[in-house]
Amino acid sequence: MANPQILIVDDNIVNVKVASAALSEVTTNILSANSGERALAILNRVRPDLILMDVNMPGMDGYETVRRIKANPEAADIPVIFLTAQDDIRAKVEGFEAGGVDYVVKPFQHAEIIARVQTHVKVHTLTRELAKEREAVMDSINYARRIQRAMLPKVEQIQARLPESFVLFRPKSVVSGDFFCFFDRDPWAILILADSTGHGVPGALMSVVGMASLSKIVEERDIFDPATILDELDADVRKLLNQDEEGGNDGMDVVTVAIQPARKLLYYSAAMRPFYRVRNGETTEFKADKMPIGGALYGEKHFSGASLPIEPGDTFYLATDGFADQFGGEDGKKYMAKNFMTLLARIAELPIAEQAAALNEEFDRWRGEQPQIDDVTIIGFRL
Ligand SMILES: [Mg+2]
C-alpha cells in the first residue's frame, strides 16, 4: 500500500518525533495525538491504516484507549501496535488482550519499527480486500439463490394435486445441487427429484440445465411416462454439455413418478436413486437403474419403468442421498440407507404435515456438531 495513514499516540513529543522520523521511509501521511482522548476524537473523523499506541499516558492509558477503539465497529479492524517502555511480559500480554496486534519496545530501532508497521499495514490491507471480495462473491451467490428458488415449484403447487404431501429441502450451501420439479398435466401429476453432481455453484448450474430440460420434455414434448422422461433428460444433458464429443461425467441422479391421484395409479422410473414405499410400518425400496443421467461413459441409455399398485395408507418417499450419507452419531459415522428406511417407516405413522419437521429434527440430532456434507431433499406423499 502506497503512503498508508498512520496515527501515533504518545504523550511524549520526542517519541512522536522519533517514530515519525523512522516511518518517513514508509509514509508521509502521519497523524499524532498526545493523549488517548485526543486519539479517540481523531478516530471519529478519520480511519488510519495503523495506530502506534503508547501505553503509559496521563489520563486514559493506551490499553483503555485501545479497548474503546475495539468497541467501535467502524474502527475495530484498525491494527494497533503498542509502544512499550518496559520489555515486560505482563505489559505485552495486556496489550494483546486489549486488542493490539504487536508491540515495539522503546527506545525504537528504526528497522524494527518499519518492518512491523509494514507487515501489519499489509495484513490489514489484504484482510480488507479479502472481505470486500468475499462480499461481492456472496452477493452474487445470494442473487443466484433467488433465481434458483424462483425456478423450484412451490409446495402449494404440489399440494394442490397431492394434498397429502411435503417437501423437505435443505441445501448444504446457499445454492443447491438437489432440485425438484412438479408438472400438473391433468390427469397426470409428475413429480421429479434430482441430485446433481456436486453441490454449491456447480451443482446449481447443473440443476438449471436439468430443470430447463425437464420442463421442455414434459410441457412442450408432452411426455409423461417416467422412463421416457429419463431417456430424454439423459439425451438432453449429454447434448447440452457436449459429453459425447468432449466426455465428462457430470449429470444427476433422478427419481421420476407419474401419478393419477383419482385412479390411484403410480408409475416410476429411477436413475441411481431408489424410490421408497412405506406400507404397514415396513419400508420397501424400489431399486433404481444403475446408470445416472448424463455422463459420457454409458452411451445411449434406456431406463426401465414400472407401475406400483397403491393400497390405502401407502406413503411414498423420494429422497436424495444427503440424509443417508450424513456423518454423525456418537462415532461420526454415516447414517446409512438401512437406518434411513427404518426412519421412514417410523415417521410414516405421523400426519403428513408433521413429517418434514420430524425428518429435520432427526437430521439435526444425528449431525450434532458435524457439518452438513451434502444437499438434503426428501419429498413424501400419500394418495
Ligand atoms: Mg447428494
Side-chain angles (χ1 to χ4, degrees):
M1 178 184 219
N3 219 31
Q5 188 175 55
I6 293 171
L7 172 62
I8 303 171
V9 187
D10 200 311
D11 60 310
N12 181 336
I13 187 71
V14 175
N15 283 336
V16 173
K17 283 195 172 149
V18 172
S20 301
L23 289 173
S24 62
E25 283 180 36
V26 179
T27 181
T28 55
N29 192 354
I30 291 177
L31 304 170
S32 65
N34 61 6
S35 70
E37 292 84 349
R38 292 282 290 272
L40 293 176
I42 289 174
L43 288 172
N44 282 331
R45 293 182 282 110
V46 292
R47 296 272 171 270
D49 298 293
L50 184 133
I51 300 169
L52 288 173
M53 179 70 65
D54 186 23
V55 174
N56 295 315
M57 293 183 287
M60 195 185 297
D61 72 5
Y63 302 135
E64 181 56 23
T65 310
V66 171
R67 276 181 214 113
R68 295 202 188 188
I69 293 170
K70 295 294 158 187
N72 172 3
E74 305 241 338
D77 72 330
I78 303 171
V80 177
I81 297 176
F82 279 106
L83 306 171
T84 61
Q86 66 279 55
D87 191 9
D88 105 43
I89 190 78
R90 238 188 37 230
K92 288 174 195 167
V93 169
E94 189 165 2
F96 285 123
E97 280 172 358
V101 292
D102 208 348
Y103 58 88
V104 178
V105 176
K106 293 186 267 194
F108 310 131
Q109 302 292 314
H110 278 211
E112 183 188 6
I113 201 166
I114 288 170
R116 291 188 193 262
V117 164
Q118 277 179 328
T119 299
H120 288 291
V121 165
K122 192 168 174 186
V123 169
H124 178 56
T125 309
L126 290 176
T127 307
R128 260 191 199 166
E129 277 169 14
L130 202 61
K132 246 191 241 161
E133 268 171 43
R134 184 177 187 281
E135 205 181 302
V137 169
M138 284 316 293
D139 277 354
S140 119
I141 291 177
N142 282 321
Y143 197 94
R145 175 186 196 268
R146 291 216 322 260
I147 296 174
Q148 191 180 41
R149 295 294 163 109
M151 289 179 78
L152 291 173
K154 304 275 162 297
V155 178
E156 299 77 54
Q157 270 169 275
I158 300 174
Q159 287 171 339
R161 283 300 301 279
L162 304 170
E164 288 214 72
S165 62
F166 73 85
V167 177
L168 172 67
F169 181 59
R170 194 169 158 166
K172 168 190 159 68
S173 322
V174 183
V175 286
S176 171
D178 281 8
F179 69 94
F180 52 99
C181 298
F182 183 74
F183 301 101
D184 180 357
R185 304 285 302 201
D186 199 36
W188 293 103
I190 293 161
L191 187 56
I192 302 166
L193 175 60
D195 178 349
S196 314
T197 22
H199 37 72
V201 172
L205 283 175
M206 282 301 298
S207 81
V208 171
V209 168
M211 281 191 259
S213 162
L214 283 165
S215 100
K216 274 222 172 81
I217 293 164
V218 179
E219 292 184 317
E220 290 176 24
R221 297 179 212 154
D222 290 325
I223 295 169
F224 309 142
D225 169 56
T228 316
I229 290 173
L230 292 190
D231 288 350
E232 296 271 314
L233 177 64
D234 176 62
D236 279 5
V237 168
R238 283 189 292 126
K239 194 167 162 223
L240 277 163
L241 301 183
N242 209 17
Q243 289 178 325
D244 293 340
E245 275 79 51
E246 292 176 24
N249 284 311
D250 294 314
M252 50 197 81
D253 302 341
V254 185
V255 183
T256 299
V257 290
I259 313 150
Q260 281 199 33
R263 297 175 60 200
K264 299 219 183 282
L265 282 178
L266 186 153
Y267 291 86
Y268 80 95
S269 181
M272 300 299 277
R273 289 302 308 150
F275 177 53
Y276 302 100
R277 180 193 67 201
V278 178
R279 175 180 286 174
N280 300 326
E282 224 174 281
T283 307
T284 306
E285 178 189 80
F286 298 98
K287 296 241 189 266
D289 290 338
K290 286 199 164 47
M291 46 192 186
I293 297 295
L297 269 183
Y298 302 79
E300 184 148 333
K301 296 166 207 159
H302 289 288
F303 287 91
S304 60
S307 72
L308 287 183
I310 297 175
E311 284 182 14
D314 285 355
T315 315
F316 298 93
Y317 298 94
L318 295 77
T320 57
D321 56 0
F323 198 120
D325 282 352
Q326 178 61 44
F327 295 106
E330 277 173 25
D331 307 318
K333 289 198 185 121
K334 284 189 180 192
Y335 197 81
M336 306 295 282
K338 193 174 81 61
N339 295 322
F340 182 65
M341 286 171 63
T342 310
L343 173 66
L344 289 181
R346 213 170 74 217
I347 65 135
E349 321 241 306
L350 297 171
I352 206 92
E354 293 170 22
Q355 295 190 9
L359 288 165
N360 213 14
E361 217 169 90
E362 173 64 3
F363 186 74
D364 282 331
R365 185 197 68 79
W366 178 256
R367 186 169 72 95
E369 299 295 308
Q370 303 263 5
Q372 181 175 343
I373 60 149
D374 195 7
D375 303 323
V376 172
T377 313
I378 300 166
I379 302 177
F381 62 91
R382 229 176 244 160
L383 295 178

